[in-house]
């Protein structure tokens, strides 16, 4: 493994180790970073390992630990269309340990009234609510990044004149430390272990594209090419994902996407620097090995060179063959998504080997159909473009995420429309994802309003929507509908694995078959009689059957 040692006056340093073998440090020109290759004998027992760094100016000693690997049974399981995911923003889901809400090291960032400050949610709160997710029918939990994000509002950019923090976890200041407001590494491992005991998987959010503006690397990069640009001079990411897939685009056109700083403020890591690439790969393997997680959600996938993703995925699969990765490619064009999806080499000759991507094209079609009341034709046309994908059933489908307004914020959205949307989501192809709070029709507009606290996650909350008694009538209706669908999906494996066969397609009615189940959706204002062709069901008769598609949808055996 390669170790990065940071300090001052490191020029000419040598490293002395005990049981492990240390190579000759390679020190940067500033004398502030040294890269050392360390070989760990296979027979070495777990325990503390002293190391010593010597320069002409003195000696520095430190101790690090060699930990025994976790047992593989029941860990590193991956995910599949048989699973149902749930996205929980740690800071906004539940507060299980008020003692870590406002730590002295960076105090003054807790304020539940302010949407861009910390609110106090943590891993202890998420762990306490695992039975709720089990009851709902969830099988895999996507946990937002846990990296240390210590910052003060004085050094952060302001939005609308209001200082912001990185409560969401996407602005890391130390990729090897866990944000103390969320808990600690043993606490995260305990969460993973308890989730596994309940039959739940954990998907950890990771970020290889950038770090936070407060990271010490920004002022003192370990190599001259550690970042793409500097604070004073850098490209602004224009989020033009399609330029990466465009065979006619020049390197200059793609540069803004690949090398631009996200939101013009998050320092863009240069994965073409071999030291950066090595650091990020080892960091991913460390988080996996130390926690026992099952899968990874990787942020901002298109903004990183595909050659890096190929090497990163290869390293993960070599060590953890069962692990799976879902990448974020935010684009509504199926042809663009298809470029990044699958394991075949694309026009650039690279196979990035990602296991799954989020189905943003289908997300937009679902919103238009069931929230805005548009014709179902656009939805069926989008599903009809599945021929572009290598494995459309591996795509992760969703009605909402932390980066878009809530379903209930859409023009024309109703709880009945939300139930229809969930009926499609949980019976159609793909691996479905539920955004926390959508199961109770939680409202919310643009960021950060779409990241409201889950009601009942704090002891001071007026009601507890984690319980049936604490939900309103409308919330109960949506929750019960989602729970029924999730449990039905587990009882009927064909709803997750069988091909999706369209039976009826009109502007307001959709009927399709998955295995032994027929799903009927009526997006119109009144009940409608639907003629379903029996021959298409494989029955040994001719003709059809007529059923009544009610407004909230139906699932038939």
């Amino acid at each position: 493994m390669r170790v990065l040692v940071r300090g001052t006056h490191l020029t000419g340093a040598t490293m002395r180790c005990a049981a492990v073998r240390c190579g000759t440090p390679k020190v940067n020109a500033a004398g502030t970073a040294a890269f050392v290759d360390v070989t760990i004998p296979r027979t070495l027992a777990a325990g503390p390992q002293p190391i010593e760094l010597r320069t002409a100016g003195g000696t520095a000693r430190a101790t690090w630990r060699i930990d025994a690997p976790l047992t593989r049974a029941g860990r590193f399981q991956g995910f599949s269309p048989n699973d149902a995911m749930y996205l929980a923003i740690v800071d906004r889901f539940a507060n299980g340990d008020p003692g870590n809400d406002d730590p002295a090291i960076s105090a003054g960032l807790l304020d539940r009234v302010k949407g861009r400050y910390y609110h106090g949610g943590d891993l202890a709160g998420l762990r306490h609510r695992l039975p709720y997710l089990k009851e709902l029918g969830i099988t895999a939990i996507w946990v937002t990044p846990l990296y240390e994000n210590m910052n003060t509002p004085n050094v952060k950019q302001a939005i609308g004149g209001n200082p912001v923090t990185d409560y969401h976890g996407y602005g890391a200041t130390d990729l090897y430390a866990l944000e103390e407001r969320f808990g600690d590494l043993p606490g995260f491992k305990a969460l993973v272990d308890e989730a596994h005991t309940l039959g739940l998987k954990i998907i950890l959010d990771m970020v290889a594209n950038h770090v936070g503006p407060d990271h010490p690397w920004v002022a003192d990069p370990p190599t001259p090419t550690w970042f793409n640009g500097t604070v004073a001079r850098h490209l602004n990411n224009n989020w033009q994902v399609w330029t990466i897939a465009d065979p006619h685009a020049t390197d200059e056109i793609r540069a803004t996407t690949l090398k631009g700083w996200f939101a013009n403020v998050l320092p863009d890591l240069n994965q073409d620097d071999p030291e950066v690439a090595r650091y990020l790969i080892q960091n991913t393997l460390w988080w996996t090995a130390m926690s026992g997680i099952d899968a990874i959600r990787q942020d901002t996938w298109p903004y990183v060179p595909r050659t890096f993703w190929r090497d990163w995925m290869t390293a993960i699969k070599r060590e953890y063959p069962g692990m799976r990765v879902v990448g974020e490619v935010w684009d509504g064009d199926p042809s663009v998504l298809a470029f990044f999806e699958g394991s075949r080499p694309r026009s650039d000759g690279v196979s990035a080997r990602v296991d799954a991507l989020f189905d943003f094209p289908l997300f937009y079609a679902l919103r238009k159909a069931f929230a805005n009341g548009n014709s179902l034709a656009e939805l069926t046309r989008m599903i009809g473009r599945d021929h572009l994908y290598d494995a459309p059933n591996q795509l992760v489908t969703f009605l909402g995420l932390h980066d878009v307004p809530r379903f209930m914020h859409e023009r024309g959205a109703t709880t009945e429309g939300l139930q229809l949307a969930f009926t499609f989501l949980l019976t159609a192809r793909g691996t479905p994802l539920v955004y926390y709070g959508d199961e109770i029709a939680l409202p919310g507009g643009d960021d950060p309003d779409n990241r409201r606290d889950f009601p009942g996650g704090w002891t001071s909350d007026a009601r507890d929507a984690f319980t049936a008694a604490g939900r309103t009538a409308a919330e109960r209706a949506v929750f019960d509908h989602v729970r029924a669908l999730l449990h039905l999906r587990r009882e009927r494996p064909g709803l997750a694995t069988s091909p999706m066969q369209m039976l009826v397609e009109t502007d307001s009615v959709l009927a399709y078959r998955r295995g032994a189940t027929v799903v009927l959706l009526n997006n119109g204002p009144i009940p409608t009689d639907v003629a379903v062709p029996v021959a298409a069901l494989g029955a040994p008769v001719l003709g059809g059957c007529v059923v009544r598609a009610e407004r909230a949808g139906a699932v038939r055996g």
Side-chain angles (χ1 to χ4, degrees), residues 46-104:
Q49 291 295 324
I51 58 173
E52 187 176 271
L53 196 75
R54 294 181 176 180
T55 69
T59 299
R61 297 177 179 84
T63 299
W64 35 292
R65 287 188 54 82
I66 305 297
D67 288 312
L70 299 175
T71 57
R72 304 259 168 155
R75 297 187 172 101
F76 320 118
Q77 303 171 82
F79 61 84
S80 75
N82 289 306
D83 286 302
M85 298 180 182
Y86 189 91
L87 165 56
I89 296 180
V90 175
D91 183 65
R92 303 298 161 93
F93 192 62
N95 186 354
D97 181 10
N100 61 27
D101 288 357
D102 198 25

Side-chain angles (χ1 to χ4, degrees), residues 177-409:
L178 197 147
E179 171 58 47
E180 60 183 344
R181 292 176 178 80
F182 300 154
D184 54 24
L185 188 60
F188 180 47
K189 183 179 177 298
L191 166 70
V192 175
D193 289 345
E194 186 164 339
H196 288 163
T197 299
L198 293 172
L200 302 172
K201 301 173 182 178
I202 296 295
I203 303 169
L204 180 60
D205 207 330
M206 296 189 183
V207 186
N209 177 64
H210 56 261
V211 294
D214 296 337
H215 198 295
W217 286 340
V218 179
D220 181 25
T223 70
T225 56
W226 197 262
F227 293 110
N228 289 309
T230 65
V231 174
R233 188 174 182 179
H234 61 261
L235 296 173
N236 180 15
N237 194 318
N238 58 14
W239 302 336
Q240 293 180 353
V241 173
W242 62 88
T243 63
I244 309 302
D246 182 358
H248 309 294
T250 63
D251 289 343
E252 289 74 18
I253 290 175
R254 296 191 184 102
T256 307
T257 302
L258 287 173
K259 300 180 179 182
W261 287 30
F262 194 89
N264 205 28
V265 71
L266 296 176
D268 193 74
L269 291 166
N270 176 21
Q271 294 80 14
D272 288 330
D273 181 323
E275 294 296 352
V276 174
R278 180 72 174 264
Y279 188 98
L280 293 172
I281 289 172
Q282 288 188 170
N283 182 256
T284 295
L285 296 176
W286 180 85
W287 276 99
T288 304
M290 295 298 289
S291 63
I293 59 172
D294 301 290
I296 296 167
R297 182 266 184 181
Q298 183 59 245
D299 189 57
T300 52
W301 186 270
Y303 306 146
V304 174
R306 284 164 47 77
T307 49
F308 170 77
W309 289 136
R310 176 196 61 203
D311 298 343
W312 182 75
M313 287 294 306
T314 298
I316 292 171
K317 296 292 188 179
R318 181 169 53 236
E319 184 65 24
Y320 303 104
M323 284 278 293
R324 288 176 63 80
V325 173
V326 53
E328 179 200 35
V329 178
W330 190 344
D331 197 283
D333 186 340
S335 67
V336 173
L337 195 70
F339 174 83
F340 294 95
E341 181 260 353
S343 57
R344 292 183 296 110
R346 299 309 186 197
S347 57
D348 58 0
V350 177
S351 170
R353 302 189 62 192
V354 67
D355 296 300
L357 296 176
F358 292 100
D359 195 346
F360 275 93
L362 188 62
F363 156 76
Y364 288 113
L366 285 169
R367 284 287 184 98
K368 291 176 182 177
F370 298 115
N372 305 147
N374 290 13
S375 167
L376 295 178
E378 184 173 349
L379 179 61
T380 56
R381 281 198 299 269
M382 193 61 72
I383 285 288
R385 291 171 182 151
D386 277 0
H387 64 86
L388 296 172
Y389 305 121
D390 286 355
N393 204 40
Q394 302 300 320
L395 296 172
V396 174
T397 55
F398 57 96
L399 304 178
L401 286 173
H402 56 322
D403 291 322
V404 297
R406 293 272 185 178
F407 183 98
M408 293 304 296
H409 186 74

